[in-house]
Amino acid sequence: MNFEESFVAAVQNAVTPSEADILIARGVVLETIGGASEPVVTTEFVDRWLEAIGCSRPAPRSKFTALPAKEEGRRLADPDPMDPHMAEYRGTHAVRWAVSQLVAEGVLTRGAGNNYAMQPERINVDYPGGSSGVPVLVHSPIVGNPNEYHRFMPVHRDPAGSEVLLPVEELLDGLGDILGARGQTMVRESRRALQRGLYLASSSLLAAASEAAWFNLARAVPNAPSALAKKVIDGRDVAEVIRLTEQKLRELKPSPGGATITEVVTQAHMFREVRNYALHPVEDHDSDRETWLTETGATLLAIASRRYFVKMADLQRRLVESGHAK
């Protein structure tokens, strides 16, 4: 069968990894090898990549089923890039790109083994009354004889870590108090938007979740000044809520650290700018914000959001504890 050109182009697009796909793969590879006790087979990288984007492998021996097109003049509808068959193919190539880059950067090298379980070597030992072999597993880089299945390991014993796009429920773990029910919903919907290529919506929803977190942080301020309390009740003017809450954070004893407070406040204002630009892209000099509304930018925001919200949750806990102490 000769497929129409538009369908072939859509399939090509669905299985070709983007820069954001490769970025996610890099994080997955680094996280996986960082916690591994032996060289990791590439199929595990692909499994972790699929998990990170909210997908899974297709059923064994299944094939992609094209649906009839609803558009006049077309036979077949464009495939969904999140279909397991498309995602698996795209993830495999994203992992290849990530691994090749990390090898070139001196972070990865080939490790012994293939798709089968690692088998120990044996050290021959004679003893009174007999002889036998002691099984050992020593992992070191391997050179030569490439196999169909390759495993990789860090060049150094302690490779540099990397933040990774976590599955959304892992991202939200322990963040219920700081985000609240609505904030958690916005994070989940942000991830769904990211998976569907709705990058403006994804970044905007994360920015809205940031605002929800700041109102919840402000609610934890013990004996909050009337100006802050009124802003929280009104549910408006997040910039002022951030400013007034920051003042109370800097009064905490013991201090959580000025650098930590500054980092969280700076990221909060960055999220505000992203959301404002998404709604009102009016100034030419603000066009750099457009980066956060692209696939790569939205992915980076999603990766960094866990660290940001965890720090806010810690500040919330400190505020609550300071109120109990009083």
Side-chain angles (χ1 to χ4, degrees):
M1 175 179 177
N2 293 323
F3 292 101
E4 52 196 334
E5 291 184 7
S6 57
F7 180 76
V8 173
V11 172
Q12 176 72 43
N13 185 64
V15 299
T16 300
S18 65
E19 289 301 317
D21 289 328
I22 297 169
L23 177 68
I24 294 169
R26 284 176 64 97
V28 162
V29 170
L30 289 171
E31 183 190 45
T32 304
I33 65 171
S37 60
E38 62 181 38
V40 181
V41 69
T42 50
T43 51
E44 184 173 343
F45 297 148
V46 177
D47 289 336
R48 296 288 294 275
W49 184 89
L50 288 167
E51 182 183 11
I53 69 165
C55 198
S56 59
R57 290 187 184 271
R61 295 182 295 280
S62 65
K63 296 180 180 179
F64 173 73
T65 301
L67 300 175
K70 296 181 180 179
E71 303 172 37
E72 188 175 347
R74 297 230 4 224
R75 285 183 298 172
L76 300 175
D78 290 349
D80 181 355
M82 292 298 290
D83 176 89
H85 300 84
M86 301 293 162
E88 180 186 42
Y89 195 97
R90 189 170 73 255
T92 298
H93 285 274
V95 165
R96 289 179 187 174
W97 274 108
V99 167
S100 66
Q101 291 173 1
L102 292 167
V103 168
E105 293 165 14
V107 178
L108 288 187
T109 188
R110 277 285 310 281
N114 49 36
N115 58 314
Y116 297 105
M118 298 289 290
Q119 298 298 315
E121 297 179 277
R122 291 187 173 272
I123 305 298
N124 293 324
V125 176
D126 288 333
Y127 55 89
S131 177
S132 187
V134 177
V136 296
L137 277 172
V138 179
H139 306 300
S140 59
I142 190 171
V143 178
N145 295 326
N147 299 305
E148 181 181 358
Y149 292 92
H150 298 163
R151 291 176 181 261
F152 292 87
M153 62 187 297
V155 172
H156 307 290
R157 290 182 181 270
D158 298 311
S162 175
E163 289 186 286
V164 65
L165 183 66
L166 296 172
V168 69
E169 294 306 320
E170 289 185 32
L171 186 155
L172 289 170
D173 184 41
L175 300 179
D177 289 339
I178 191 64
L179 286 171
R182 181 59 59 86
Q184 291 179 86
T185 297
M186 287 188 285
V187 171
R188 290 188 179 99
E189 293 193 359
S190 170
R191 179 59 61 84
R192 284 196 287 271
L194 180 64
Q195 293 166 349
R196 293 297 178 186
L198 305 174
Y199 307 124
L200 185 151
S202 175
S203 296
S204 298
L205 283 164
L206 269 184
S210 171
E211 293 188 10
W214 274 95
F215 276 98
N216 286 327
L217 186 62
R219 291 186 181 97
V221 173
N223 302 316
S226 58
L228 177 58
K230 186 176 186 304
K231 294 293 182 185
V232 171
I233 293 172
D234 292 342
R236 298 179 182 143
D237 199 354
V238 67
E240 190 65 5
V241 169
I242 292 171
R243 186 185 72 83
L244 294 171
T245 305
E246 178 187 4
Q247 291 178 356
K248 304 307 291 184
L249 289 171
R250 295 192 183 278
E251 295 173 7
L252 280 174
K253 302 295 181 185
S255 172
T260 296
I261 296 171
T262 299
E263 177 186 345
V264 170
V265 169
T266 299
Q267 190 157 356
H269 287 302
M270 185 272 290
F271 269 122
R272 285 187 58 246
E273 292 175 358
V274 168
R275 192 177 190 207
N276 289 339
Y277 179 77
L279 296 172
H280 311 290
V282 292
E283 300 292 344
D284 291 339
H285 64 266
D286 285 339
S287 59
D288 61 301
R289 273 76 168 169
E290 191 73 31
T291 302
W292 300 114
L293 309 181
T294 65
E295 181 180 15
T296 300
T299 302
L300 286 170
L301 284 180
I303 290 173
S305 62
R306 167 72 184 176
R307 172 184 171 87
Y308 169 62
F309 289 132
V310 165
K311 289 195 172 187
M312 290 193 68
D314 182 63
L315 293 173
Q316 182 187 44
R317 178 183 58 78
R318 287 172 177 263
L319 286 170
V320 171
E321 290 175 352
S322 70
H324 291 162
K326 292 179 181 179

